[in-house]
């Protein structure tokens, strides 16, 4: 790889740093815009890596598709001026080669590439024998196997430094987010790959700048390793993703406002208090399991009556009544409608399975 010693050293120091902050424009537009954005994000003193999209995968043809390889020298120049290491998205073998020729330090695989094993494999093949860190964004759709598959393809190409980026998932009819965070997906991926960094990209989750701080805070609360936030010197006039980009000044404020949490502390008082609370949780969980088991025993009895009287297992009117009662009670006790629905769906399913066994016996 044609990496200068200086940026190689900076890269090794940066990779794995917590929190790792990546920022820069959605797209490189002009030399001036790239250099000025780079200078201003670097001036915050809080950014580790400069990002810029050069080849932009767009949903519809005719939209701005990135300026292409001509922006690579701009990034090289930005690195020289600011000392920031650089990252771009690469989706084809040619893009990988072009980026490497111009000393890009880290490549990332975008959400629209992760969904396609052919493309991921093409990128993986182009990376064989090259020592460069790779970030892998989650696929557009909530499918952990595709994300996992991409990690495996890149790892099999011999890449040692892999990071994950959670940018949310596309869902039909969802209005709150551009891409729903579905935090449990990222958490599950963290459990599968505890050794890999997990970065959150709040810009693509939110799709608007006002909520970037909230989502960033949530990610940090969930022990993410860092953030990728899009910043532009003139966001409203950006050529792509104008609504979600922030100015370098706003970026600085967001990074200032985030309450940075650590996963652990050595303080014995803290551990004693935590142990006590965890014991209480364990006790309550034991009780909940006991209660659920009792509930199922009653469901079994109902199952017997239904069988004797030839009545269907599913009785929608009764079920709606249960849910409505629970929602009302949950609301008073501070439990969200979403939780109550998910919880009762699971309980209902278990109950139906119990009754079905009895009917079939
Ligand atoms: C981007 O980072 O600008 C981008 C296109 O992201 P994603 O692949 O997450 O949509
Ligand atoms: Mn973008």
């Amino acid at each position: 790889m044609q990496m200068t010693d200086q940026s190689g050293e900076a890269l090794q120091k940066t990779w794995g740093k917590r929190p790792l902050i990546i920022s820069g424009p959605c797209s490189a537009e002009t030399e001036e815009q790239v250099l000025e954005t780079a200078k201003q994000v670097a001036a915050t003193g809080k950014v580790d890596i400069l990002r810029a999209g050069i080849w932009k995968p767009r949903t519809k043809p005719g939209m701005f598709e990135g300026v292409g390889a001509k922006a690579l020298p701009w990034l090289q120049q930005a690195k020289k001026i600011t000392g920031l290491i650089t990252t771009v998205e690469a989706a084809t073998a040619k893009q990988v080669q072009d980026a490497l020729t111009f000393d890009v330090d880290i490549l990332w695989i975008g959400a629209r590439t992760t969904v396609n094993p052919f493309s991921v494999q093409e990128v993986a093949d182009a990376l064989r024998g090259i020592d460069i860190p790779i970030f892998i964004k989650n696929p557009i759709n909530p499918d952990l196997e595709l994300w996992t598959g991409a990690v495996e393809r890149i790892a099999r190409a011999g890449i040692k430094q892999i990071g994950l980026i959670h940018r949310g998932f596309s869902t039909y009819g969802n209005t709150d987010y551009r891409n729903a965070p579905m935090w449990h997906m990222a958490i599950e991926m963290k459990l599968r790959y505890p050794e890999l960094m997990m970065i959150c990209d709040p810009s693509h989750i939110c799709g608007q700048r006002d909520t970037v701080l909230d989502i960033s805070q949530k990610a940090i609360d969930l022990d993410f390793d860092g953030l990728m936030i899009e910043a532009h010197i003139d966001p409203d006039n950006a050529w792509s993703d104008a609504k979600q980009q922030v100015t370098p000044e706003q970026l600085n404020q967001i990074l200032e406002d985030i309450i940075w949490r650590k996963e652990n502390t050595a303080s014995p008082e803290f551990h004693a208090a935590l142990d006590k609370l965890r014991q209480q949780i364990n006790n309550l969980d034991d009780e909940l399991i006991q209660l659920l088991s009792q509930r199922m025993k009653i469901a079994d009895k109902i199952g017997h009556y239904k069988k004797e009287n030839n009545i269907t297992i599913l009785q929608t009117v009764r079920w709606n009544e249960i849910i409505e009662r629970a929602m009302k009670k949950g609301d008073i006790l501070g439990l969200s409608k979403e939780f109550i629905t998910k919880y009762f769906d699971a309980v209902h399913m278990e109950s139906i399975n119990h009754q079905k066994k009895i009917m079939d016996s």
Side-chain angles (χ1 to χ4, degrees), residues 25-27 51-53 55-58 89 108-113 137-138 140 165-168 178-179 201 204 228 230 240-241 244:
C26 175
S27 302
R51 64 150 280 152
W55 303 282
K56 302 298 298 180
R58 304 313 297 274
E89 173 176 354
W108 90 77
I109 295 182
R112 288 164 191 76
T113 305
K137 287 195 167 197
N138 66 256
I140 298 236
I165 300 180
H166 168 231
R167 47 78 79 198
R178 179 175 176 197
N179 293 291
D201 171 348
H204 288 89
M228 178 190 253
E230 287 185 342
S240 60
D241 290 352
Q244 72 195 31

PDB file of all heavy atoms in Angstrom, residues 25-27 51-53 55-58 89 108-113 137-138 140 165-168 178-179 201 204 228 230 240-241 244, ligand 1:
ATOM      1  N   PRO A  25     -17.819  15.885   4.960  1.00  0.00           N
ATOM      2  CA  PRO A  25     -19.045  16.014   4.172  1.00  0.00           C
ATOM      3  C   PRO A  25     -19.595  14.675   3.692  1.00  0.00           C
ATOM      4  O   PRO A  25     -18.841  13.717   3.551  1.00  0.00           O
ATOM      5  CB  PRO A  25     -18.595  16.853   2.969  1.00  0.00           C
ATOM      6  CG  PRO A  25     -17.141  16.586   2.842  1.00  0.00           C
ATOM      7  CD  PRO A  25     -16.634  16.363   4.242  1.00  0.00           C
ATOM      8  N   CYS A  26     -20.902  14.653   3.444  1.00  0.00           N
ATOM      9  CA  CYS A  26     -21.506  13.489   2.801  1.00  0.00           C
ATOM     10  C   CYS A  26     -20.726  13.244   1.518  1.00  0.00           C
ATOM     11  O   CYS A  26     -20.189  12.175   1.312  1.00  0.00           O
ATOM     12  CB  CYS A  26     -22.984  13.770   2.505  1.00  0.00           C
ATOM     13  SG  CYS A  26     -23.759  12.446   1.583  1.00  0.00           S
ATOM     14  N   SER A  27     -20.630  14.300   0.675  1.00  0.00           N
ATOM     15  CA  SER A  27     -19.906  14.163  -0.595  1.00  0.00           C
ATOM     16  C   SER A  27     -18.839  15.228  -0.735  1.00  0.00           C
ATOM     17  O   SER A  27     -19.044  16.385  -0.332  1.00  0.00           O
ATOM     18  CB  SER A  27     -20.864  14.364  -1.773  1.00  0.00           C
ATOM     19  OG  SER A  27     -21.909  13.441  -1.722  1.00  0.00           O
ATOM     20  N   ARG A  51     -13.996  12.073   6.618  1.00  0.00           N
ATOM     21  CA  ARG A  51     -14.749  11.282   5.652  1.00  0.00           C
ATOM     22  C   ARG A  51     -15.177  12.155   4.480  1.00  0.00           C
ATOM     23  O   ARG A  51     -15.364  13.367   4.633  1.00  0.00           O
ATOM     24  CB  ARG A  51     -15.994  10.640   6.259  1.00  0.00           C
ATOM     25  CG  ARG A  51     -17.050  11.618   6.745  1.00  0.00           C
ATOM     26  CD  ARG A  51     -18.480  11.085   6.670  1.00  0.00           C
ATOM     27  NE  ARG A  51     -19.022  11.174   5.309  1.00  0.00           N
ATOM     28  CZ  ARG A  51     -19.940  10.365   4.824  1.00  0.00           C
ATOM     29  NH1 ARG A  51     -20.451   9.414   5.566  1.00  0.00           N
ATOM     30  NH2 ARG A  51     -20.387  10.529   3.583  1.00  0.00           N
ATOM     31  N   ALA A  52     -15.370  11.557   3.315  1.00  0.00           N
ATOM     32  CA  ALA A  52     -16.008  12.240   2.189  1.00  0.00           C
ATOM     33  C   ALA A  52     -16.420  11.170   1.185  1.00  0.00           C
ATOM     34  O   ALA A  52     -15.637  10.269   0.882  1.00  0.00           O
ATOM     35  CB  ALA A  52     -15.053  13.231   1.533  1.00  0.00           C
ATOM     36  N   GLY A  53     -17.649  11.278   0.707  1.00  0.00           N
ATOM     37  CA  GLY A  53     -18.100  10.358  -0.336  1.00  0.00           C
ATOM     38  C   GLY A  53     -17.654  10.896  -1.687  1.00  0.00           C
ATOM     39  O   GLY A  53     -17.789  12.093  -1.981  1.00  0.00           O
ATOM     40  N   TRP A  55     -17.704   8.519  -4.681  1.00  0.00           N
ATOM     41  CA  TRP A  55     -18.624   7.796  -5.569  1.00  0.00           C
ATOM     42  C   TRP A  55     -19.887   7.590  -4.740  1.00  0.00           C
ATOM     43  O   TRP A  55     -19.855   6.921  -3.709  1.00  0.00           O
ATOM     44  CB  TRP A  55     -18.031   6.445  -5.969  1.00  0.00           C
ATOM     45  CG  TRP A  55     -16.698   6.588  -6.636  1.00  0.00           C
ATOM     46  CD1 TRP A  55     -16.472   6.955  -7.934  1.00  0.00           C
ATOM     47  CD2 TRP A  55     -15.400   6.355  -6.056  1.00  0.00           C
ATOM     48  NE1 TRP A  55     -15.125   6.974  -8.191  1.00  0.00           N
ATOM     49  CE2 TRP A  55     -14.447   6.607  -7.061  1.00  0.00           C
ATOM     50  CE3 TRP A  55     -14.946   5.976  -4.800  1.00  0.00           C
ATOM     51  CZ2 TRP A  55     -13.066   6.489  -6.843  1.00  0.00           C
ATOM     52  CZ3 TRP A  55     -13.585   5.851  -4.584  1.00  0.00           C
ATOM     53  CH2 TRP A  55     -12.658   6.108  -5.598  1.00  0.00           C
ATOM     54  N   LYS A  56     -20.986   8.183  -5.161  1.00  0.00           N
ATOM     55  CA  LYS A  56     -22.197   8.141  -4.336  1.00  0.00           C
ATOM     56  C   LYS A  56     -23.228   7.198  -4.934  1.00  0.00           C
ATOM     57  O   LYS A  56     -23.694   7.423  -6.053  1.00  0.00           O
ATOM     58  CB  LYS A  56     -22.817   9.547  -4.222  1.00  0.00           C
ATOM     59  CG  LYS A  56     -21.907  10.605  -3.655  1.00  0.00           C
ATOM     60  CD  LYS A  56     -21.471  10.297  -2.235  1.00  0.00           C
ATOM     61  CE  LYS A  56     -22.616  10.228  -1.256  1.00  0.00           C
ATOM     62  NZ  LYS A  56     -22.097   9.911   0.116  1.00  0.00           N
ATOM     63  N   PRO A  57     -23.582   6.143  -4.209  1.00  0.00           N
ATOM     64  CA  PRO A  57     -24.632   5.250  -4.716  1.00  0.00           C
ATOM     65  C   PRO A  57     -25.980   5.915  -4.458  1.00  0.00           C
ATOM     66  O   PRO A  57     -26.380   6.106  -3.319  1.00  0.00           O
ATOM     67  CB  PRO A  57     -24.457   4.005  -3.835  1.00  0.00           C
ATOM     68  CG  PRO A  57     -23.831   4.519  -2.569  1.00  0.00           C
ATOM     69  CD  PRO A  57     -23.160   5.812  -2.850  1.00  0.00           C
ATOM     70  N   ARG A  58     -26.670   6.330  -5.483  1.00  0.00           N
ATOM     71  CA  ARG A  58     -27.932   7.043  -5.283  1.00  0.00           C
ATOM     72  C   ARG A  58     -29.109   6.186  -5.707  1.00  0.00           C
ATOM     73  O   ARG A  58     -29.003   5.364  -6.613  1.00  0.00           O
ATOM     74  CB  ARG A  58     -27.934   8.377  -6.069  1.00  0.00           C
ATOM     75  CG  ARG A  58     -26.760   9.288  -5.737  1.00  0.00           C
ATOM     76  CD  ARG A  58     -26.520   9.444  -4.227  1.00  0.00           C
ATOM     77  NE  ARG A  58     -27.614  10.066  -3.535  1.00  0.00           N
ATOM     78  CZ  ARG A  58     -27.766  11.375  -3.427  1.00  0.00           C
ATOM     79  NH1 ARG A  58     -26.875  12.181  -3.937  1.00  0.00           N
ATOM     80  NH2 ARG A  58     -28.804  11.868  -2.805  1.00  0.00           N
ATOM     81  N   GLU A  89     -15.876   5.878   0.761  1.00  0.00           N
ATOM     82  CA  GLU A  89     -16.633   4.659   0.463  1.00  0.00           C
ATOM     83  C   GLU A  89     -16.127   4.059  -0.851  1.00  0.00           C
ATOM     84  O   GLU A  89     -15.930   4.793  -1.822  1.00  0.00           O
ATOM     85  CB  GLU A  89     -18.131   4.991   0.327  1.00  0.00           C
ATOM     86  CG  GLU A  89     -18.931   3.787  -0.157  1.00  0.00           C
ATOM     87  CD  GLU A  89     -20.443   4.026  -0.207  1.00  0.00           C
ATOM     88  OE1 GLU A  89     -20.914   5.083   0.242  1.00  0.00           O
ATOM     89  OE2 GLU A  89     -21.150   3.124  -0.710  1.00  0.00           O
ATOM     90  N   TRP A 108     -14.541   2.475   3.457  1.00  0.00           N
ATOM     91  CA  TRP A 108     -15.743   1.909   4.070  1.00  0.00           C
ATOM     92  C   TRP A 108     -16.655   1.331   2.998  1.00  0.00           C
ATOM     93  O   TRP A 108     -16.680   1.782   1.862  1.00  0.00           O
ATOM     94  CB  TRP A 108     -16.452   2.915   4.980  1.00  0.00           C
ATOM     95  CG  TRP A 108     -17.501   3.810   4.400  1.00  0.00           C
ATOM     96  CD1 TRP A 108     -18.783   3.483   4.079  1.00  0.00           C
ATOM     97  CD2 TRP A 108     -17.367   5.219   4.107  1.00  0.00           C
ATOM     98  NE1 TRP A 108     -19.460   4.598   3.614  1.00  0.00           N
ATOM     99  CE2 TRP A 108     -18.619   5.664   3.623  1.00  0.00           C
ATOM    100  CE3 TRP A 108     -16.333   6.142   4.226  1.00  0.00           C
ATOM    101  CZ2 TRP A 108     -18.844   6.995   3.244  1.00  0.00           C
ATOM    102  CZ3 TRP A 108     -16.554   7.459   3.850  1.00  0.00           C
ATOM    103  CH2 TRP A 108     -17.796   7.866   3.366  1.00  0.00           C
ATOM    104  N   ILE A 109     -17.344   0.274   3.411  1.00  0.00           N
ATOM    105  CA  ILE A 109     -18.317  -0.378   2.533  1.00  0.00           C
ATOM    106  C   ILE A 109     -19.687   0.158   2.919  1.00  0.00           C
ATOM    107  O   ILE A 109     -20.084   0.095   4.081  1.00  0.00           O
ATOM    108  CB  ILE A 109     -18.232  -1.911   2.695  1.00  0.00           C
ATOM    109  CG1 ILE A 109     -16.844  -2.370   2.208  1.00  0.00           C
ATOM    110  CG2 ILE A 109     -19.356  -2.615   1.947  1.00  0.00           C
ATOM    111  CD1 ILE A 109     -16.618  -3.857   2.269  1.00  0.00           C
ATOM    112  N   GLY A 110     -20.379   0.731   1.952  1.00  0.00           N
ATOM    113  CA  GLY A 110     -21.657   1.394   2.238  1.00  0.00           C
ATOM    114  C   GLY A 110     -22.809   0.414   2.359  1.00  0.00           C
ATOM    115  O   GLY A 110     -22.702  -0.765   1.977  1.00  0.00           O
ATOM    116  N   ALA A 111     -23.928   0.932   2.887  1.00  0.00           N
ATOM    117  CA  ALA A 111     -25.103   0.092   3.150  1.00  0.00           C
ATOM    118  C   ALA A 111     -25.638  -0.566   1.881  1.00  0.00           C
ATOM    119  O   ALA A 111     -26.099  -1.703   1.907  1.00  0.00           O
ATOM    120  CB  ALA A 111     -26.189   0.945   3.795  1.00  0.00           C
ATOM    121  N   ARG A 112     -25.553   0.161   0.757  1.00  0.00           N
ATOM    122  CA  ARG A 112     -26.074  -0.395  -0.496  1.00  0.00           C
ATOM    123  C   ARG A 112     -25.144  -1.442  -1.089  1.00  0.00           C
ATOM    124  O   ARG A 112     -25.521  -2.158  -2.015  1.00  0.00           O
ATOM    125  CB  ARG A 112     -26.333   0.735  -1.500  1.00  0.00           C
ATOM    126  CG  ARG A 112     -27.524   1.578  -1.142  1.00  0.00           C
ATOM    127  CD  ARG A 112     -27.531   2.897  -1.897  1.00  0.00           C
ATOM    128  NE  ARG A 112     -28.525   3.792  -1.342  1.00  0.00           N
ATOM    129  CZ  ARG A 112     -28.385   4.452  -0.202  1.00  0.00           C
ATOM    130  NH1 ARG A 112     -27.271   4.329   0.510  1.00  0.00           N
ATOM    131  NH2 ARG A 112     -29.338   5.238   0.256  1.00  0.00           N
ATOM    132  N   THR A 113     -23.911  -1.491  -0.596  1.00  0.00           N
ATOM    133  CA  THR A 113     -22.971  -2.525  -1.051  1.00  0.00           C
ATOM    134  C   THR A 113     -23.077  -3.754  -0.152  1.00  0.00           C
ATOM    135  O   THR A 113     -23.046  -4.889  -0.638  1.00  0.00           O
ATOM    136  CB  THR A 113     -21.531  -1.969  -1.042  1.00  0.00           C
ATOM    137  OG1 THR A 113     -21.515  -0.775  -1.827  1.00  0.00           O
ATOM    138  CG2 THR A 113     -20.536  -2.964  -1.609  1.00  0.00           C
ATOM    139  N   LYS A 137     -20.556  -0.874   6.865  1.00  0.00           N
ATOM    140  CA  LYS A 137     -21.862  -0.385   7.326  1.00  0.00           C
ATOM    141  C   LYS A 137     -22.885  -1.520   7.290  1.00  0.00           C
ATOM    142  O   LYS A 137     -22.742  -2.464   6.510  1.00  0.00           O
ATOM    143  CB  LYS A 137     -22.325   0.763   6.432  1.00  0.00           C
ATOM    144  CG  LYS A 137     -21.545   2.057   6.659  1.00  0.00           C
ATOM    145  CD  LYS A 137     -22.292   3.210   6.032  1.00  0.00           C
ATOM    146  CE  LYS A 137     -21.758   4.544   6.491  1.00  0.00           C
ATOM    147  NZ  LYS A 137     -22.713   5.630   6.215  1.00  0.00           N
ATOM    148  N   ASN A 138     -23.911  -1.388   8.118  1.00  0.00           N
ATOM    149  CA  ASN A 138     -24.954  -2.420   8.087  1.00  0.00           C
ATOM    150  C   ASN A 138     -25.677  -2.349   6.736  1.00  0.00           C
ATOM    151  O   ASN A 138     -25.694  -1.299   6.081  1.00  0.00           O
ATOM    152  CB  ASN A 138     -25.940  -2.255   9.261  1.00  0.00           C
ATOM    153  CG  ASN A 138     -26.775  -1.002   9.201  1.00  0.00           C
ATOM    154  OD1 ASN A 138     -26.525  -0.041   9.921  1.00  0.00           O
ATOM    155  ND2 ASN A 138     -27.771  -0.976   8.356  1.00  0.00           N
ATOM    156  N   ILE A 140     -28.836  -2.136   4.113  1.00  0.00           N
ATOM    157  CA  ILE A 140     -30.033  -1.283   4.161  1.00  0.00           C
ATOM    158  C   ILE A 140     -31.178  -1.965   4.910  1.00  0.00           C
ATOM    159  O   ILE A 140     -31.877  -1.343   5.687  1.00  0.00           O
ATOM    160  CB  ILE A 140     -30.516  -1.012   2.718  1.00  0.00           C
ATOM    161  CG1 ILE A 140     -29.428  -0.268   1.953  1.00  0.00           C
ATOM    162  CG2 ILE A 140     -31.854  -0.333   2.699  1.00  0.00           C
ATOM    163  CD1 ILE A 140     -29.854   1.013   1.367  1.00  0.00           C
ATOM    164  N   ILE A 165     -20.131  -0.106  11.214  1.00  0.00           N
ATOM    165  CA  ILE A 165     -20.859   1.170  11.336  1.00  0.00           C
ATOM    166  C   ILE A 165     -22.353   0.890  11.271  1.00  0.00           C
ATOM    167  O   ILE A 165     -22.853   0.293  10.307  1.00  0.00           O
ATOM    168  CB  ILE A 165     -20.460   2.179  10.234  1.00  0.00           C
ATOM    169  CG1 ILE A 165     -18.954   2.487  10.317  1.00  0.00           C
ATOM    170  CG2 ILE A 165     -21.277   3.473  10.380  1.00  0.00           C
ATOM    171  CD1 ILE A 165     -18.457   3.479   9.276  1.00  0.00           C
ATOM    172  N   HIS A 166     -23.044   1.347  12.315  1.00  0.00           N
ATOM    173  CA  HIS A 166     -24.495   1.176  12.403  1.00  0.00           C
ATOM    174  C   HIS A 166     -25.137   2.462  11.875  1.00  0.00           C
ATOM    175  O   HIS A 166     -24.966   3.516  12.465  1.00  0.00           O
ATOM    176  CB  HIS A 166     -24.852   0.932  13.878  1.00  0.00           C
ATOM    177  CG  HIS A 166     -26.300   1.028  14.180  1.00  0.00           C
ATOM    178  ND1 HIS A 166     -26.794   1.806  15.198  1.00  0.00           N
ATOM    179  CD2 HIS A 166     -27.376   0.453  13.606  1.00  0.00           C
ATOM    180  CE1 HIS A 166     -28.109   1.695  15.240  1.00  0.00           C
ATOM    181  NE2 HIS A 166     -28.484   0.881  14.289  1.00  0.00           N
ATOM    182  N   ARG A 167     -25.855   2.367  10.737  1.00  0.00           N
ATOM    183  CA  ARG A 167     -26.443   3.566  10.117  1.00  0.00           C
ATOM    184  C   ARG A 167     -27.953   3.441  10.000  1.00  0.00           C
ATOM    185  O   ARG A 167     -28.604   4.187   9.287  1.00  0.00           O
ATOM    186  CB  ARG A 167     -25.793   3.879   8.763  1.00  0.00           C
ATOM    187  CG  ARG A 167     -25.635   2.716   7.834  1.00  0.00           C
ATOM    188  CD  ARG A 167     -26.891   2.310   7.109  1.00  0.00           C
ATOM    189  NE  ARG A 167     -27.156   3.194   5.978  1.00  0.00           N
ATOM    190  CZ  ARG A 167     -28.336   3.291   5.381  1.00  0.00           C
ATOM    191  NH1 ARG A 167     -29.359   2.525   5.788  1.00  0.00           N
ATOM    192  NH2 ARG A 167     -28.518   4.107   4.370  1.00  0.00           N
ATOM    193  N   GLY A 168     -28.530   2.471  10.733  1.00  0.00           N
ATOM    194  CA  GLY A 168     -29.978   2.308  10.726  1.00  0.00           C
ATOM    195  C   GLY A 168     -30.448   1.523   9.515  1.00  0.00           C
ATOM    196  O   GLY A 168     -29.676   1.239   8.593  1.00  0.00           O
ATOM    197  N   ARG A 178     -34.899   8.572   9.106  1.00  0.00           N
ATOM    198  CA  ARG A 178     -34.643   8.206   7.698  1.00  0.00           C
ATOM    199  C   ARG A 178     -34.373   6.704   7.637  1.00  0.00           C
ATOM    200  O   ARG A 178     -34.838   6.008   6.753  1.00  0.00           O
ATOM    201  CB  ARG A 178     -33.430   8.990   7.196  1.00  0.00           C
ATOM    202  CG  ARG A 178     -33.071   8.677   5.772  1.00  0.00           C
ATOM    203  CD  ARG A 178     -31.937   9.565   5.279  1.00  0.00           C
ATOM    204  NE  ARG A 178     -31.533   9.191   3.946  1.00  0.00           N
ATOM    205  CZ  ARG A 178     -30.389   9.558   3.396  1.00  0.00           C
ATOM    206  NH1 ARG A 178     -29.550  10.332   4.064  1.00  0.00           N
ATOM    207  NH2 ARG A 178     -30.081   9.184   2.185  1.00  0.00           N
ATOM    208  N   ASN A 179     -33.612   6.223   8.620  1.00  0.00           N
ATOM    209  CA  ASN A 179     -33.345   4.785   8.739  1.00  0.00           C
ATOM    210  C   ASN A 179     -33.507   4.399  10.207  1.00  0.00           C
ATOM    211  O   ASN A 179     -32.761   4.891  11.057  1.00  0.00           O
ATOM    212  CB  ASN A 179     -31.930   4.464   8.254  1.00  0.00           C
ATOM    213  CG  ASN A 179     -31.785   4.698   6.767  1.00  0.00           C
ATOM    214  OD1 ASN A 179     -32.355   3.972   5.956  1.00  0.00           O
ATOM    215  ND2 ASN A 179     -31.062   5.736   6.398  1.00  0.00           N
ATOM    216  N   ASP A 201     -23.573   5.944  13.052  1.00  0.00           N
ATOM    217  CA  ASP A 201     -23.693   7.033  12.079  1.00  0.00           C
ATOM    218  C   ASP A 201     -25.070   7.671  12.293  1.00  0.00           C
ATOM    219  O   ASP A 201     -26.050   7.270  11.665  1.00  0.00           O
ATOM    220  CB  ASP A 201     -23.553   6.445  10.669  1.00  0.00           C
ATOM    221  CG  ASP A 201     -23.870   7.442   9.555  1.00  0.00           C
ATOM    222  OD1 ASP A 201     -24.421   8.522   9.844  1.00  0.00           O
ATOM    223  OD2 ASP A 201     -23.579   7.127   8.395  1.00  0.00           O
ATOM    224  N   HIS A 204     -27.175   9.353   9.096  1.00  0.00           N
ATOM    225  CA  HIS A 204     -28.031   8.572   8.195  1.00  0.00           C
ATOM    226  C   HIS A 204     -29.207   7.937   8.918  1.00  0.00           C
ATOM    227  O   HIS A 204     -30.190   7.574   8.285  1.00  0.00           O
ATOM    228  CB  HIS A 204     -27.203   7.536   7.418  1.00  0.00           C
ATOM    229  CG  HIS A 204     -26.340   8.199   6.382  1.00  0.00           C
ATOM    230  ND1 HIS A 204     -25.068   8.645   6.666  1.00  0.00           N
ATOM    231  CD2 HIS A 204     -26.596   8.565   5.105  1.00  0.00           C
ATOM    232  CE1 HIS A 204     -24.574   9.227   5.583  1.00  0.00           C
ATOM    233  NE2 HIS A 204     -25.473   9.191   4.622  1.00  0.00           N
ATOM    234  N   MET A 228     -19.839   8.572  13.467  1.00  0.00           N
ATOM    235  CA  MET A 228     -19.543   9.157  12.158  1.00  0.00           C
ATOM    236  C   MET A 228     -20.639  10.178  11.895  1.00  0.00           C
ATOM    237  O   MET A 228     -21.813   9.815  11.774  1.00  0.00           O
ATOM    238  CB  MET A 228     -19.547   8.086  11.055  1.00  0.00           C
ATOM    239  CG  MET A 228     -19.294   8.660   9.668  1.00  0.00           C
ATOM    240  SD  MET A 228     -19.597   7.447   8.350  1.00  0.00           S
ATOM    241  CE  MET A 228     -17.930   7.084   7.833  1.00  0.00           C
ATOM    242  N   GLU A 230     -21.914  13.537   9.589  1.00  0.00           N
ATOM    243  CA  GLU A 230     -21.635  14.319   8.381  1.00  0.00           C
ATOM    244  C   GLU A 230     -21.605  15.810   8.696  1.00  0.00           C
ATOM    245  O   GLU A 230     -22.526  16.347   9.321  1.00  0.00           O
ATOM    246  CB  GLU A 230     -22.717  14.048   7.329  1.00  0.00           C
ATOM    247  CG  GLU A 230     -22.577  12.671   6.696  1.00  0.00           C
ATOM    248  CD  GLU A 230     -23.569  12.419   5.566  1.00  0.00           C
ATOM    249  OE1 GLU A 230     -24.591  13.147   5.475  1.00  0.00           O
ATOM    250  OE2 GLU A 230     -23.335  11.486   4.792  1.00  0.00           O
ATOM    251  N   SER A 240     -25.632  16.667  -1.596  1.00  0.00           N
ATOM    252  CA  SER A 240     -26.325  15.435  -1.169  1.00  0.00           C
ATOM    253  C   SER A 240     -26.574  15.518   0.336  1.00  0.00           C
ATOM    254  O   SER A 240     -25.797  16.156   1.051  1.00  0.00           O
ATOM    255  CB  SER A 240     -25.493  14.186  -1.504  1.00  0.00           C
ATOM    256  OG  SER A 240     -24.252  14.227  -0.850  1.00  0.00           O
ATOM    257  N   ASP A 241     -27.645  14.882   0.779  1.00  0.00           N
ATOM    258  CA  ASP A 241     -27.969  14.815   2.212  1.00  0.00           C
ATOM    259  C   ASP A 241     -27.909  16.163   2.933  1.00  0.00           C
ATOM    260  O   ASP A 241     -27.380  16.273   4.055  1.00  0.00           O
ATOM    261  CB  ASP A 241     -27.061  13.787   2.919  1.00  0.00           C
ATOM    262  CG  ASP A 241     -27.391  12.354   2.512  1.00  0.00           C
ATOM    263  OD1 ASP A 241     -28.414  12.156   1.806  1.00  0.00           O
ATOM    264  OD2 ASP A 241     -26.635  11.443   2.889  1.00  0.00           O
ATOM    265  N   GLN A 244     -29.435  16.589   6.690  1.00  0.00           N
ATOM    266  CA  GLN A 244     -28.861  15.931   7.866  1.00  0.00           C
ATOM    267  C   GLN A 244     -27.462  16.420   8.218  1.00  0.00           C
ATOM    268  O   GLN A 244     -26.944  16.103   9.287  1.00  0.00           O
ATOM    269  CB  GLN A 244     -28.843  14.410   7.661  1.00  0.00           C
ATOM    270  CG  GLN A 244     -27.808  13.934   6.646  1.00  0.00           C
ATOM    271  CD  GLN A 244     -28.050  12.513   6.190  1.00  0.00           C
ATOM    272  OE1 GLN A 244     -29.189  12.066   6.137  1.00  0.00           O
ATOM    273  NE2 GLN A 244     -26.996  11.789   5.872  1.00  0.00           N
TER     274      GLN A 244
HETATM  275  C1  LIG B   1     -22.733   7.948   3.276  1.00  0.00           C
HETATM  276  O1  LIG B   1     -22.084   7.671   4.299  1.00  0.00           O
HETATM  277  O2  LIG B   1     -22.755   9.056   2.736  1.00  0.00           O
HETATM  278  C2  LIG B   1     -23.612   6.911   2.721  1.00  0.00           C
HETATM  279  C3  LIG B   1     -23.975   6.883   1.441  1.00  0.00           C
HETATM  280  O3  LIG B   1     -24.010   6.082   3.675  1.00  0.00           O
HETATM  281  P1  LIG B   1     -24.909   4.749   3.660  1.00  0.00           P
HETATM  282  O4  LIG B   1     -24.124   3.747   2.878  1.00  0.00           O
HETATM  283  O5  LIG B   1     -24.987   4.454   5.112  1.00  0.00           O
HETATM  284  O6  LIG B   1     -26.232   5.110   3.058  1.00  0.00           O
END
